[in-house]
Amino acid sequence: YIAMEYVPGGNLRRHIGQPTPIETRINWMVQLCSALFFAHKRNVVHQDIKPDNIFLTQEGNLKIGDFGLALIATGHALDRHAKGQGSPAYMSPEICRGEAPDHRSDIYSLGAVFYELLTGQMPFKAQSLDEMVQKHLKAQVPAASKINPEIPPVLDKVLKYMMTKQPAQR
């Protein structure tokens, strides 16, 4: 079993689309990068990064939770030899292809979370699972700054890097 800290502040989903200063959202992004880096340095691949699994403490700090699908990366293999799982709206292209995930899959998912955090909408909209998978495999992410002009254009570059289709380029 996994025991996790209780975080009474609720999850990040509640804050998507809310009037939050851009500086606060960027601070949250930095915190999430740091948390994911911490996990990846310990060979943990989360596999289900999404706003519902990110919790905001009463002090305003973010914590990644729900490691129920997490895997331990050991060299080129993953324990349990599992293929990727997770939430379709945040799945990396390699998981959509049925390949085993690694830390780069989490980076893609985190990019999708950042996109939603900055714009108030998911990077891809789809009517079905198949359509969502195809978008993750082939569609380019629209520039976030075109949706929300408050977003500095440099963040478009960060999102493009995080959500590139080829894991080796993330």
Side-chain angles (χ1 to χ4, degrees):
Y1 67 91
I2 297 174
M4 297 185 337
E5 173 186 1
Y6 172 68
V7 181
N11 65 35
L12 192 58
R13 171 79 54 215
R14 296 174 41 192
H15 300 278
I16 300 290
Q18 297 300 312
T20 306
I22 189 74
E23 295 81 9
T24 300
R25 289 180 272 169
I26 291 170
N27 178 275
W28 288 347
M29 291 168 63
V30 170
Q31 287 183 46
L32 290 171
C33 285
S34 178
L36 202 56
F37 180 74
F38 182 87
H40 290 165
K41 285 300 249 182
R42 285 147 185 82
N43 296 319
V44 174
V45 179
H46 188 280
Q47 283 204 107
D48 199 19
I49 299 290
K50 61 184 179 181
D52 309 82
N53 291 339
I54 299 168
F55 301 92
L56 183 64
T57 69
Q58 293 175 331
E59 294 79 26
N61 297 313
L62 293 180
K63 297 189 177 216
I64 298 174
D66 193 356
F67 281 78
L69 297 178
L71 299 171
I72 303 298
T74 54
H76 295 291
L78 294 168
D79 87 330
R80 298 193 309 198
H81 303 287
K83 296 289 184 184
Q85 302 175 38
S87 302
Y90 305 92
M91 279 184 181
S92 67
E94 57 273 20
I95 290 177
C96 292
R97 288 189 295 269
E99 298 168 5
D102 63 19
H103 69 282
R104 299 168 299 184
S105 303
D106 283 348
I107 291 169
Y108 182 95
S109 299
L110 191 60
V113 169
F114 288 173
Y115 189 93
E116 192 174 3
L117 182 63
L118 292 167
T119 66
Q121 56 189 274
M122 292 181 194
F124 302 119
K125 296 175 186 146
Q127 298 299 316
S128 68
L129 175 60
D130 287 340
E131 184 183 356
M132 181 62 73
V133 166
Q134 288 306 309
K135 288 190 175 189
H136 282 299
L137 290 172
K138 299 177 182 173
Q140 294 304 311
V141 178
S145 62
K146 291 189 180 188
I147 296 168
N148 180 353
E150 180 179 70
I151 298 169
V154 69
L155 290 182
D156 285 329
K157 291 179 184 179
V158 170
L159 294 171
K160 184 176 181 180
Y161 169 78
M162 293 178 80
M163 295 190 70
T164 191
K165 303 301 178 193
Q166 297 302 318
Q169 297 175 356
R170 281 185 220 131

